[in-house]
Amino acid sequence: MKILIRNGTVVNDDGSRNTDVLTDGKLIEAVEPGILPPETCKIVEADGLLVIPGGIDPHTHLEMPVGAIHTADGFDSGGEAALSGGTTTIIDFVNPLRGQSYVEAYEQWMGRAQKATCNYSFHVTVTWFDDQAAEEMRYLSERGGVNSFKHFTTYRDTIMLNQEGMLQSFFHVARLGCLATVHAENDVIITHLQNDLLKKGITHPKGHVLSRPPIAEAEATNRVIALAEVAGVPVYIVHLSCAGALDAVKAAQIRGQEVYAESLCGHLLLDRSVYFNHSREIAARYVMSPPYRSREHRDALWDGIATESIQVIGSDNCTFTQEQRNLGLYDFTRIPNGSPGIEDRLRIIWDQGVRTGRLSRERFVAATSTNAAKIFNMYPRKGVIKPGSDADIVLWDPDKSHSVSAGSHRQAIDYSVFEGYEFIGSPSLTILNGQVVFENGRVNVAAGAGTFVARSPR
Ligand code: URP
Ligand code: ZN
Ligand code: ZN
């Protein structure tokens, strides 16, 4: 059915205006004032509300296997959480085992995503590189709708690629016309500090933050930017969390190198002191990499977003239950890494970014939707309210308050790292592919309603 949204304020990354929006059941048909209602249509009054493009979260790990366990949020529950928080599209990561066929892993992830309740796309992680890997990457870029490949400079036992492999992969990604993305932390520093801490008897989760200092991230970020320059590949640094890494990004951007940066809603909110909680159980909930940082780093990140050296804010949603976290209660290196955010990302950024005056409404839309659509080649299908674009739309109430609690959130974990926060600014209605899927505080969407978003090389 058509939907007419009346008298809202449409906010795109390049400006805002009061107008109506008409959808045709799938796409946006018209954006202009005074649209007459077609014979059969749902009318939504949007006075006082913002009409924004559905959020795009370019960093999620739904139902991701890690050894014998997997992340708690699936493509169904994770998608519902996303929709309730104003996100309509995610880009999840296919993580092949070292030596596993990339195409096989991609098909496994595609199988899990058949129950997706929000739109989805895939990055593929380069965990090994040789001629066969190169051929499979080519296949996925030409036939699989994948235009971004992730690389890890750490996790030596599982998914890290050595520098030689990374440089070769970067050259190949450049030839494919794709984007290299990187998790940048210095593995030698981290491993040394982890072993040293354990030797000293420090097993509490605080060892996690003590073993992953900002300098480890800054060094690796500098290094991958250098490799990317040599390979001539555009590079996107995922979950950038500290001032030193941001300095490396800024310096490269000033030199004219194509370097993008993503920060996470969690890194913009939470402080490293969470790791020092006396309770090991509670401290373990916050273990993610890079770890949460101190205020000076958060201030640098906000500054980077406002001045556009950081283009994108993701969640890195990667949720593990308390029971799963407890696997490493007495050895912090065994705690599964990851954090939530798929549900609260937009609220955090509105409350902490727009309401504090750090970001304009337009920058909010750019950082939570449009820039990801542009960088990952989904624009203007996604990331903008304009005729012809997909009808993924959020009605955003700038004054609606939302209290976070594990008792009421939609995510599949039994605690929340945002417990007790009250965010002002929240969605009142979400439209996915032309259908209302969240309204009056309720998500109403069928498993499989999310569609795959193929992204071609640039
Ligand atoms: O700790 C994190 N970030 N876990 C998720 C996987 C990754 O590194 O992005
Ligand atoms: Zn990562
Ligand atoms: Zn991640």
Side-chain angles (χ1 to χ4, degrees):
M1 193 198 306
K2 294 194 179 209
I3 304 171
L4 176 59
I5 304 167
R6 281 209 293 220
N7 293 322
T9 301
V10 169
V11 183
N12 281 320
D13 69 327
D14 59 354
S16 308
R17 65 183 174 127
N18 284 9
T19 188
D20 296 347
V21 177
L22 180 67
T23 70
D24 72 0
K26 198 163 184 309
L27 303 179
I28 297 173
E29 188 176 313
V31 181
E32 56 197 47
I35 298 175
L36 294 175
E39 215 161 90
T40 37
C41 87
K42 175 180 170 81
I43 297 181
V44 178
E45 301 295 349
D47 300 74
L49 301 178
L50 309 182
V51 183
I52 61 174
I56 299 174
D57 188 342
H59 194 148
T60 66
H61 302 273
L62 301 182
E63 209 175 322
M64 179 182 77
V66 185
I69 59 173
H70 60 75
T71 53
D73 287 314
F75 284 86
D76 44 4
S77 63
E80 290 184 20
L83 296 171
S84 72
T87 289
T88 50
T89 299
I90 58 167
I91 314 182
D92 205 83
F93 289 86
V94 173
N95 277 356
L97 299 171
R98 217 174 248 158
Q100 183 189 12
S101 154
Y102 289 171
V103 175
E104 180 188 89
Y106 169 91
E107 282 164 0
Q108 286 170 349
W109 256 263
M110 200 55 112
R112 292 184 194 118
Q114 292 314 295
K115 58 179 183 293
T117 49
C118 70
N119 296 330
Y120 59 96
S121 194
F122 291 123
H123 314 278
V124 172
T125 302
V126 181
T127 52
W128 54 286
F129 190 80
D130 64 9
D131 288 349
Q132 191 200 327
E135 202 36 54
E136 295 205 40
M137 289 163 70
R138 174 179 300 286
Y139 176 85
L140 290 174
S141 73
E142 290 174 355
R143 311 280 291 274
V146 173
N147 71 11
S148 44
F149 292 91
K150 184 176 183 188
H151 306 72
F152 282 83
T153 63
T154 188
Y155 303 122
R156 61 175 66 179
D157 295 335
T158 50
I159 46 185
M160 182 176 107
L161 205 58
N162 65 25
Q163 278 194 66
E164 178 61 29
M166 192 169 299
L167 184 61
Q168 286 180 23
S169 175
F170 278 10
F171 273 113
H172 187 58
V173 172
R175 280 191 295 273
L176 296 177
C178 294
L179 181 67
T181 78
V182 185
H183 172 136
E185 287 183 293
N186 181 310
D187 192 70
V188 173
I189 295 177
I190 292 168
T191 306
H192 170 82
L193 293 176
Q194 285 178 333
N195 291 337
D196 194 49
L197 287 158
L198 290 175
K199 240 188 266 158
K200 288 178 180 147
I202 297 175
T203 58
H204 180 283
K206 69 183 174 194
H208 181 73
V209 67
L210 297 174
S211 61
R212 301 184 104 96
I215 190 69
E217 184 184 347
E219 185 284 324
T221 306
N222 266 296
R223 178 160 32 103
V224 300
I225 287 173
L227 296 177
E229 183 179 328
V230 170
V233 72
V235 67
Y236 175 102
I237 309 296
V238 304
H239 49 48
L240 185 142
S241 74
C242 70
L246 180 57
D247 287 344
V249 165
K250 281 187 196 159
Q253 289 168 343
I254 289 167
R255 291 198 301 273
Q257 192 177 342
E258 193 175 350
V259 178
Y260 304 103
E262 161 203 281
S263 287
L264 306 180
C265 52
H267 280 128
L268 290 159
L269 183 72
L270 300 175
D271 187 78
R272 75 192 287 279
S273 54
V274 294
Y275 297 107
F276 295 88
N277 196 302
H278 186 66
S279 155
R280 286 175 186 254
E281 279 89 351
I282 295 176
R285 297 173 181 171
Y286 297 90
V287 166
M288 64 99 52
S289 302
Y292 300 120
R293 305 289 195 196
S294 59
R295 170 169 287 284
E296 65 188 288
H297 296 290
R298 282 195 299 287
D299 286 347
L301 298 184
W302 279 114
D303 209 49
I305 295 161
T307 54
E308 303 202 42
S309 36
I310 297 169
Q311 295 75 31
V312 175
I313 302 170
S315 72
D316 196 359
N317 194 86
C318 186
T319 48
F320 295 100
T321 62
Q322 183 73 58
E323 191 184 357
Q324 293 171 327
R325 298 286 194 182
N326 290 353
L327 292 170
L329 277 196
Y330 293 93
D331 177 349
F332 65 88
T333 65
R334 293 181 185 277
I335 301 171
N337 283 211
S339 217
I342 201 169
E343 184 165 347
D344 295 308
R345 183 178 63 113
L346 271 70
R347 293 186 188 106
I348 293 171
I349 303 312
W350 184 271
D351 186 78
Q352 302 283 307
V354 181
R355 279 175 47 83
T356 56
R358 285 161 161 149
L359 303 182
S360 66
R361 301 185 299 195
E362 290 77 13
R363 279 295 295 146
F364 167 76
V365 166
T368 57
S369 177
T370 316
N371 287 349
K374 288 179 177 170
I375 293 168
F376 293 106
N377 209 9
M378 296 184 274
Y379 186 87
R381 181 175 166 196
K382 307 283 185 198
V384 62
I385 304 283
K386 83 174 200 181
S389 296
D390 288 355
D392 293 341
I393 301 173
V394 172
L395 266 60
W396 186 261
D397 183 341
D399 301 316
K400 185 171 164 187
S401 83
H402 177 91
S403 303
V404 183
S405 156
S408 56
H409 70 187
R410 289 181 169 78
Q411 300 211 232
I413 45 172
D414 44 355
Y415 60 89
S416 171
V417 298
F418 308 125
E419 184 75 39
Y421 275 97
E422 178 157 348
F423 299 121
I424 309 288
S426 202
S428 62
L429 182 142
T430 304
I431 297 171
L432 176 80
N433 303 327
Q435 312 297 320
V436 174
V437 288
F438 172 71
E439 193 176 17
N440 301 324
R442 276 198 297 279
V443 177
N444 185 7
V445 65
T451 54
F452 176 65
V453 185
R455 299 176 294 112
S456 43
R458 310 187 293 159

